[in-house]
Amino acid sequence: MSRVAIAYEPVWAIGTGKVATPETAQNVHEKCRAILADMYDQETADATRILYGGSVSPESVDELMSQPDIDGALVGGASLDSEKFGRIINFQV
């Protein structure tokens, strides 16, 4: 599992420009981590990277990345714009 990354993207966010609230995304990531702990153990669950994808933008990245169970972002369309992508990869928490 040390080389595994899991990405969560709400089906309703695919290609829509809509992003989950940080609280909603955190709840889903927390549940994913709990499932991993049940399947393996807490240490493995804590070490597994869980990424949020779903219209990550310069406007949403800071709040998303401040959530304790969101370990990174799976960036889609915003990665095609260097200014937007630069802001995303230099998020502020």
Side-chain angles (χ1 to χ4, degrees):
M1 289 297 290
S2 65
R3 296 179 59 191
V4 172
I6 296 171
Y8 161 70
E9 180 171 4
V11 68
W12 50 262
I14 299 171
T16 66
K18 296 179 182 177
V19 62
T21 66
E23 296 79 17
T24 298
Q26 168 58 25
N27 288 339
V28 174
H29 284 237
E30 183 177 40
K31 180 65 174 172
C32 290
R33 203 168 303 282
I35 291 168
L36 289 171
D38 287 344
M39 292 174 63
Y40 299 98
D41 55 50
Q42 192 61 53
E43 183 179 351
T44 300
D46 291 341
T48 302
R49 292 176 306 267
I50 305 176
L51 313 177
Y52 176 78
S55 302
V56 177
S57 68
E59 296 78 27
S60 65
V61 70
D62 294 339
E63 286 189 79
L64 288 166
M65 295 306 298
S66 71
Q67 303 304 306
D69 288 298
I70 299 178
D71 300 316
L74 182 66
V75 183
S79 68
L80 301 175
D81 181 312
S82 62
E83 189 172 313
K84 287 181 181 179
F85 190 58
R87 171 64 183 87
I88 290 169
I89 63 173
N90 291 295
F91 66 90
Q92 305 290 316
V93 283

